Amino acid sequence: MLEGVRQIGKTYRGSVEGGFAFSLIKEVEQRKETQSKKHLLRLDFWPKEDNLELSFLEINERTSGEYLWVGHRKGNVPQDRLTASNVQYILFGSLFNLKNSLPKGRLKETLEELVKRFFVQVKVKDKTLQVLDFRKIKGFPPDVPWPPREEPKKFQSEYKKIFFRHLKDSFGFSEDDFGLFAITIEGKKPSEIEEYVAYLEQAMIEEQFEESLHGICSVCGQKEELTWDTTSFPDKFYITKLIIFSSELLGKKGKEGFAKNFALCRECYRELLTGMNYLRNYLNTQLAGNTLYLIPGLFFHPVGKTLTEKWMDFSKRYFTSTFTPEAFLEFEEKVEQKLEDYREFEELIDYTYVDLLFYSINQSAFKIKKLIREVPLRRVRAIKGVFREVQKLGEELLGNGKDWFLSLNGMYYLLPIRSGEEVEHRKILELYESLFLGYPVDRKILVRFFLTLAQVYFFERQGYNVKPGSNPGWRLVQGILRTQFMLKVFEKLSLIERSEGMVAIESGVLPEDVEQYMRRMGYSEEEAALFLLGYLIGEIGAQQVQGGDSDKKPILNKVNFNGMSAKKIITLSSEVFEKLDQYRIRRYHEKTFAVMKGLMDAHIRDWHLSEAENVYYLLSGYAFCTYKMVTWKKGKEEGE
């Protein structure tokens, strides 16, 4: 994985103008399209005129580069950036800290002048703070009262509130309107100040090599000057804080300890830092309630083919087109619009893979949830093809609609897991791993998930990633049918075994749509018997709703959603026969009942299905019957 990140960094660095610091520029997170764009608040310092003006710029794709937004310094260290996402760093000391850190030169002299003219020293308890005197800001009232000097953090917090209050009164902007805050000096932006750019590059690399050692780089394998200090990395793949993770428990002492576990040369350090920044900016996405990085790479390099930015962008779009129906259609449209570009990439699909790094960030702590290595893009192509096949099958059997496109995110909402339970989330990621890498999946595990889905809807349970919604009865029907097509996806990808012994029923005995559905879904005779029993339960439920019993359909209370033994199923079939009589619909369904009973009796002494599978296939028949009746009724009403 690290080699992939390094290659990305190397590729990106080669395309960026302006030096290493410009390869670390971060994208600013914008609001939704329906909301107004965020702004950059620029503080223009003109020391010769003793003038400080504010400018308000709408953030666009060039803003981060022009103002050299590379993020804050990591850890509990003095901040020294001219651009920040937190105005507190600008108000309290970033200029002062930068001045102290710079070597002798024109920029250092200029900053000394700025600090002298525009900052004041404020003593709060036993701490002296360097504070920007915003009474000198053009447009602010000169008699702004300062907050009480009780405690440093409280003073800073209150001072910031006063600043934004006067900003609102004078210019109409509130704190939430800003994504960045930047300092310019005599009209020069941070990216235009050469000494500042050089300082950033020095601080980001050379500071980490102050206690360097010579040895073999853990990434490239070359003998070079090395560092183990990765504190400036945005994402911590290795732990360098706890002594128990260091070699021989030596920790940070001397040139041993962590250096034996993991050490980097300068070039690999630069490329990894750049690669991680590129991941955060451009290869970051979400799947199944998890954030993840898509890390593209080549299994080997075909003649004349290398990793490029264009290819990395294509890899992400190609992979994420399996996430939702909307992403799939958007990608297909772009392929049609830029067919020549797509053909160029199509040649590379067989050589390319993507690493999937699922992670979480909690209070700046980076935690890896799951790494799925080397998912071939040709496998993604196969998954996309199966999704298309199964959608077509769904439309042929149940009618048109995007409901039958089984996207990766769509699958997540067919697999209920309790919110906040890490073990449950891990199961979902393991299931995706099987899907991506072709590992076999136990059908019974999937069926158990599907029964839980039915329970969430039927009993309207809370606390899951799946919500019952305003019409849980209908969502139960749709959900169970979608799980049927999910099983077909797994079958077509050879992840689960197909049912043994396809059902064979004399043509014309059953309703045509029922017979066709069971045949196309590949049911065994046991599964078909349960499906037909569920179908009859659906017919009874419809009569109960028409009779005004309730929307819940009392017949479903006869079903144990945790699972039912074969013996209980026989008892249920007898009760279903009685209900057909009670609601005077037996004559319409005698043949269906007879086929169901014949199939059941033929296998009952040697029943292969589990208790969970018994209920699942029964609910599948119920869902099919209910869906057909509702859509038929809706279609009839629209026709009238």
Side-chain angles (χ1 to χ4, degrees):
M1 181 197 72
L2 281 180
E3 176 58 24
V5 177
R6 187 177 78 89
Q7 287 296 330
I8 290 170
K10 184 177 181 179
T11 300
Y12 184 51
R13 276 187 64 201
S15 67
V16 174
E17 296 180 2
F20 172 65
F22 289 85
S23 70
L24 300 180
I25 289 167
K26 297 183 179 297
E27 296 297 311
V28 182
E29 187 176 339
Q30 278 287 11
R31 291 167 167 163
K32 296 177 181 177
E33 291 182 6
T34 55
Q35 299 174 315
S36 60
K37 287 194 172 183
K38 288 206 170 189
H39 288 70
L40 175 139
L41 173 59
R42 186 170 73 185
L43 294 89
D44 297 304
F45 286 90
W46 298 88
K48 291 177 183 177
E49 290 82 6
D50 199 21
N51 190 24
L52 172 55
E53 295 182 1
L54 301 183
S55 303
F56 309 93
L57 307 172
E58 197 174 87
I59 291 174
N60 57 37
E61 66 276 3
R62 300 185 305 275
T63 304
S64 294
E66 290 176 355
Y67 292 89
L68 204 54
W69 166 232
V70 295
H72 303 128
R73 294 191 67 183
K74 297 293 179 183
N76 187 22
V77 294
Q79 296 298 319
D80 59 0
R81 305 290 193 248
L82 292 180
T83 303
S85 62
N86 186 344
V87 75
Q88 199 154 309
Y89 297 144
I90 304 293
L91 295 177
F92 303 102
S94 63
L95 268 182
F96 182 80
N97 296 327
L98 179 60
K99 170 189 74 75
N100 289 343
S101 301
L102 282 168
K104 286 184 179 181
R106 184 180 297 176
L107 180 58
K108 188 179 183 77
E109 291 172 3
T110 302
L111 294 185
E112 285 173 347
E113 185 68 19
L114 289 184
V115 169
K116 190 185 298 182
R117 287 177 178 273
F118 298 100
F119 282 76
V120 291
Q121 288 187 351
V122 178
K123 192 160 186 178
V124 183
K125 282 196 170 181
D126 57 348
K127 189 172 183 179
T128 301
L129 302 176
Q130 294 289 334
V131 182
L132 176 66
D133 188 353
F134 52 62
R135 293 173 297 188
K136 293 197 172 187
I137 297 174
K138 190 175 180 179
F140 270 44
D143 55 349
V144 179
W146 285 33
R149 306 179 186 187
E150 299 171 356
E151 192 268 328
K153 286 187 177 179
K154 188 174 181 182
F155 173 85
Q156 290 176 329
S157 176
E158 291 300 317
Y159 194 80
K160 188 174 82 167
K161 287 179 184 177
I162 294 171
F163 173 79
F164 279 114
R165 185 163 66 244
H166 287 287
L167 196 68
K168 181 75 172 176
D169 294 341
S170 301
F171 301 99
F173 286 92
S174 60
E175 183 176 2
D176 192 50
D177 292 323
F178 299 104
L180 286 178
F181 306 87
I183 291 170
T184 61
I185 302 171
E186 296 178 335
K188 281 191 173 183
K189 301 170 186 174
S191 63
E192 299 167 339
I193 304 173
E194 293 180 4
E195 287 178 80
Y196 177 64
V197 175
Y199 167 75
L200 281 183
E201 295 187 1
Q202 171 78 14
M204 289 176 172
I205 298 297
E206 296 307 320
E207 283 183 8
Q208 321 308 322
F209 282 81
E210 287 177 355
E211 296 183 9
S212 62
L213 66 153
H214 281 81
I216 304 298
C217 175
S218 299
V219 176
C220 68
Q222 298 296 315
K223 192 170 185 179
E224 299 281 351
E225 188 180 1
L226 308 175
T227 181
W228 53 265
D229 188 353
T230 58
T231 52
S232 62
F233 280 6
D235 303 320
K236 305 296 188 299
F237 298 139
Y238 293 88
I239 298 173
T240 56
K241 286 186 176 180
L242 301 177
I243 193 171
I244 59 171
F245 289 99
S246 65
S247 178
E248 299 178 24
L249 302 181
L250 291 173
K252 300 180 180 180
K253 294 178 181 178
K255 296 184 178 181
E256 302 294 336
F258 291 111
K260 283 189 175 181
N261 299 54
F262 182 68
L264 297 167
C265 67
R266 274 184 176 79
E267 195 61 21
C268 286
Y269 194 97
R270 287 191 186 94
E271 289 170 355
L272 284 174
L273 200 57
T274 303
M276 290 178 195
N277 187 58
Y278 191 89
L279 288 179
R280 283 206 169 190
N281 284 341
Y282 307 113
L283 298 176
N284 200 15
T285 187
Q286 286 196 326
L287 172 63
N290 293 277
T291 49
L292 76 150
Y293 291 141
L294 295 171
I295 308 173
L298 296 171
F299 287 115
F300 58 91
H301 291 273
V303 177
K305 302 292 183 181
T306 58
L307 203 64
T308 64
E309 268 195 89
K310 205 172 179 182
W311 171 250
M312 290 188 289
D313 179 64
F314 172 81
S315 297
K316 179 185 176 182
R317 292 180 183 277
Y318 192 78
F319 200 99
T320 55
S321 68
T322 62
F323 286 12
T324 64
E326 293 77 15
F328 184 87
L329 290 174
E330 182 185 351
F331 182 82
E332 296 293 296
E333 287 173 8
K334 287 189 176 178
V335 167
E336 290 178 8
Q337 293 166 4
K338 300 180 179 180
L339 193 58
E340 291 305 315
D341 286 348
Y342 177 76
R343 281 175 180 159
E344 175 194 342
F345 293 134
E346 183 73 15
E347 295 174 9
L348 268 174
I349 284 179
D350 287 334
Y351 310 118
T352 311
Y353 66 85
V354 174
D355 286 335
L356 306 178
L357 181 66
F358 292 87
Y359 70 92
S360 63
I361 297 177
N362 185 15
Q363 295 181 344
S364 78
F366 184 85
K367 180 183 178 183
I368 295 176
K369 289 184 174 181
K370 180 81 175 174
L371 173 62
I372 303 178
R373 290 179 54 83
E374 298 185 355
V375 179
L377 279 198
R378 61 176 177 271
R379 177 67 177 181
V380 179
R381 180 169 55 194
I383 292 171
K384 285 161 67 80
V386 168
F387 282 167
R388 245 187 303 240
E389 275 184 60
V390 170
Q391 181 186 24
K392 185 179 178 183
L393 175 64
E395 289 174 348
E396 290 172 358
L397 295 175
L398 296 168
N400 292 334
K402 66 178 182 180
D403 285 341
W404 317 127
F405 184 90
L406 266 294
S407 65
L408 296 179
N409 255 322
M411 289 183 178
Y412 172 65
Y413 293 104
L414 298 176
L415 304 166
I417 52 175
R418 289 191 178 277
S419 303
E421 290 196 8
E422 202 66 36
V423 174
E424 293 292 299
H425 278 274
R426 201 174 300 125
K427 288 179 184 176
I428 299 295
L429 297 183
E430 286 170 357
L431 194 63
Y432 280 123
E433 182 176 34
S434 298
L435 184 69
F436 294 139
L437 299 180
Y439 300 155
V441 175
D442 189 341
R443 180 190 289 263
K444 289 183 171 59
I445 291 176
L446 291 175
V447 169
R448 178 48 65 185
F449 268 118
F450 299 157
L451 271 199
T452 304
L453 179 72
Q455 292 168 15
V456 168
Y457 288 137
F458 188 73
F459 299 109
E460 298 184 40
R461 291 181 176 170
Q462 304 296 329
Y464 288 85
N465 61 318
V466 180
K467 308 300 178 188
S470 58
N471 190 350
W474 180 239
R475 296 192 74 180
L476 167 64
V477 167
Q478 289 178 305
I480 291 297
L481 288 175
R482 283 172 63 79
T483 64
Q484 291 271 281
F485 295 113
M486 182 171 168
L487 288 177
K488 293 305 290 182
V489 167
F490 277 61
E491 282 182 6
K492 287 178 178 292
L493 290 170
S494 303
L495 302 178
I496 58 177
E497 295 179 359
R498 295 176 181 271
S499 302
E500 293 182 7
M502 302 283 282
V503 64
I505 298 170
E506 184 182 342
S507 181
V509 176
L510 295 173
E512 184 180 347
D513 55 351
V514 175
E515 182 185 333
Q516 184 186 25
Y517 186 86
M518 292 195 302
R519 181 171 50 80
R520 298 287 298 277
M521 296 304 285
Y523 284 159
S524 68
E525 292 194 348
E526 291 175 5
E527 292 163 354
L530 293 163
F531 179 87
L532 292 173
L533 181 59
Y535 182 87
L536 294 171
I537 288 175
E539 292 284 1
I540 294 166
Q543 294 297 314
Q544 290 178 330
V545 169
Q546 289 176 17
D549 285 357
S550 81
D551 288 340
K552 282 286 189 181
K553 302 177 182 177
I555 186 65
L556 287 177
N557 292 325
K558 303 284 186 181
V559 179
N560 184 340
F561 281 71
N562 288 314
M564 297 176 70
S565 65
K567 185 177 179 181
K568 294 286 185 182
I569 291 294
I570 293 171
T571 303
L572 178 61
S573 68
S574 299
E575 292 173 340
V576 164
F577 187 80
E578 292 173 6
K579 291 295 181 183
L580 292 173
D581 258 346
Q582 180 183 335
Y583 288 98
R584 299 179 182 178
I585 56 173
R586 193 181 84 185
R587 62 193 175 118
Y588 303 115
H589 304 293
E590 277 184 329
K591 290 181 179 179
T592 302
F593 187 88
V595 172
M596 179 275 297
K597 197 70 170 69
L599 292 172
M600 192 175 291
D601 290 347
H603 297 278
I604 200 65
R605 292 183 180 278
D606 188 25
W607 197 256
H608 293 96
L609 298 180
S610 68
E611 294 186 1
E613 288 174 308
N614 289 342
V615 175
Y616 172 68
Y617 284 102
L618 186 150
L619 289 175
S620 299
Y622 164 78
F624 175 82
C625 176
T626 306
Y627 187 86
K628 279 290 188 178
M629 282 194 287
V630 170
T631 52
W632 174 81
K633 183 179 179 183
K634 192 179 291 183
K636 184 180 177 185
E637 289 171 353
E638 288 172 358
E640 290 174 354

